[in-house]
Amino acid sequence: MCRSALVFFTATLVCLQNCRPGPVPFLRAAWMFSVVLGLGQSEDNRCASSNAVSCTKCLALGPECGWCAQEDFISGGSKNERCDTVSNLIHKGCSIDLIEYPSVRVMPSENEINTQVTPGEVLIQLHQGAEANFMLKIHPLKKYPVDLYYLVDVSASMHNNIEKLNSVGNDLSRKMAFFSRDFRLGFGSYVDKTVSPYISIHPERIHNQCSDYNLDCMPPHGYIHVLSLTENITEFEKAVHRQKISGNIDTPEGGFDAMLQAAVCESHIGWRKEAKRLLLVMTDQTSHLALDSKLAGIVVPNDGNCHLKNNVYVRSTSMEHPSLGQLSEKLIDNNINVIFAVQGKQFHWYKDLLPLLPGTIAGEIESKAANLNNLVVEAYQKLISEVKVQVENQVKGIYFNITAICPDGTRKPGTDGCGNVTSNDEVLFNVTVTMEKCDVTGGKSYAIIKPIGFNETTKIHIHRNCSCQCDDSRGPKRKCVEETFLDTKCFQCDENKCHIDEDTFPSESCKSHKDQPVCSGRGVCICGKCLCHKIKFGKVYGKYCEKDDFSCPYHHGNLCAGHGECEAGRCQCFRGWEGDRCQCPSASAQLCVSPKGQVCSGRGTCVCGRCECTDPRSIGRFCEHCPTCHTGCSENWNCVQCLHPHNLSQAILDRCKTSCALKEQHYVDQTSALELIKVPDVYISMKTISHPP
């Protein structure tokens, strides 16, 4: 917690430092703050314990680490001390202006052109483990120009709703005048993909899919752009009046196909950059999703581009429906807010989609769309009263945490944003940018924070400060590599700068195996050799830092019983000792050899001179007794003849006395005269004896 406080405090100081030259005032403040908190004396000091021998390696350890580049800095003891916390370096006598400590800077653009979203551009300078903060402000306008595009499902079941559209223009225009200074309307229609099984391809129905309704329908189509956005309400009403219904044979429609085209075909639709863009989707059925197209043999993924030719979507039968993720991306990229106006029971299907499509609203229309205009006005009011953001163009290795500070004082995640925002309110977003590692190369150098439905964004330029300033020839001579700890063939130095030849000494030479981490994850690779971390639990050592003196089992209070050393969590016993704790003399294994010459009869392991049977069926000092083992008969076959000693040689009789001493006869059932012989480990029926194979 204390370290976090120091990092936050120092980062804030650096942000303030922009108007003050040089790092000295900042370092003095950071030192004083760390001394007050006692941070410089923390036991868990990864800066000093790392044994970093170069400035770059040191600063990569964390935001609290600094490097003393003073030429005559005195390093005492057996380890390098140039890498430490700032307060410790000052205590050791390092000059403040020779401490390498990369700063964190947040610099908003001086030439601000945005009016709703500020700042429009930000430059952030980060180093490993550090975080930067800035406030993003969003101020909605009182009256926006509004572009409203009607995208209507013209399948036969929507006949009554389409008739209602003939009269919505003037009434809606009057109602929207309270909220917009410039209102335009446009119109387009859709049905479904014009292939089987979505439409009937029977010759008598191919041109009129609504014969079941006794209606004269226009041929089915994927999407047709009918009227570009216009201020002429009369022209809009005429276009709607001319619209005929169409039809298909399956229940879902091709709405998502049409929505994507209406979003990306900006010039065809006539979307204005400065306007609030509303896409009103009228339907009474669900929409097909991406994989549904495979039913028609269409397997080419939707490319997300505009494919209107003569205002007709020409790739309807050759590309799949878009996925929800793809549709969401295109709607956000083009600043489109969607209003689903749904009639009937499918309203809840669209309502469930809202979390997946930011900037969308669903409303239920009544019979013959009687409430359509009120639905549009209410949806627009709700849309402009919500302010939320998301991050686009993510930069690899850079992480964003955004918190919305709403006008009522509540705090919410930026993706949830604030509601009930008026044109008199200002919404603040606390943006925290963090860089965890410095080893990311290439990729994007900027990210974008985009408020949903707004035509302005904030562009964040990221500068990774991952190197030291040792190449600056001005001022005192600086030392960025502690050569004492390096192979002279590894580094090259000129008057002011040293660098390590990574090609000559690749990090692979610091791995015990190609799949293992560098230096077992417990050290750093310098010039092809591992320099192990100092850990407060004990000593880490070995060629690959694979050994230590603390992570193995203890015996009577001693690590590895004092008879071995710890390596990768296992005891490696010295000669003459064995066991998982090296607690057993090696000679004790002779005590586990059975009379037959086997260690624990092959059914157990020897632990410090005693057999531990691994076969649960075995018992005895040497695990020699196993009544149910399948080898019982063959092992005791020779003892059977000892029960009938007639005509046996003296040698066999002597063996019977020593090896087959345990003999007993039992008569289980007098009527059956079944005679059983008990020999070691097995009962044998005399009437069924046959020589084993």
Side-chain angles (χ1 to χ4, degrees), residues 18 32 60 79 121 148 158 196 348 362 481 553 556 578 580 597 642:
N18 293 333
M32 290 299 296
K79 66 184 181 68
E121 285 193 81
L148 175 61
M158 289 287 291
S196 179
H348 294 286
V481 177
H556 296 317
E578 59 185 20
D580 63 337
C642 296

Side-chain angles (χ1 to χ4, degrees), residues 236-298:
F236 171 80
E237 291 180 341
K238 287 181 179 179
V240 174
H241 181 72
R242 290 193 299 266
Q243 180 65 46
K244 288 186 177 182
I245 62 170
S246 184
N248 58 339
I249 59 175
D250 70 332
T251 299
E253 317 293 4
F256 290 170
D257 240 357
M259 286 175 64
L260 189 142
Q261 290 299 304
V264 300
C265 296
E266 186 173 11
S267 60
H268 293 78
I269 307 300
W271 296 116
R272 292 175 293 177
K273 180 181 178 181
E274 69 277 11
K276 282 288 185 182
R277 302 176 176 184
L278 304 181
L279 180 62
L280 177 70
V281 181
M282 284 184 62
T283 184
D284 61 352
Q285 295 296 340
T286 60
S287 179
H288 283 293
L289 301 175
L291 297 180
D292 292 355
S293 312
K294 290 180 170 51
L295 292 172
I298 302 173

Side-chain angles (χ1 to χ4, degrees), residues 341-363:
V342 187
Q343 185 178 46
K345 60 183 179 180
Q346 301 301 343
F347 166 72
H348 294 286
W349 188 86
Y350 285 94
K351 190 175 181 180
D352 291 341
L353 293 181
L354 300 187
L356 305 176
L357 298 172
T360 60
I361 286 179

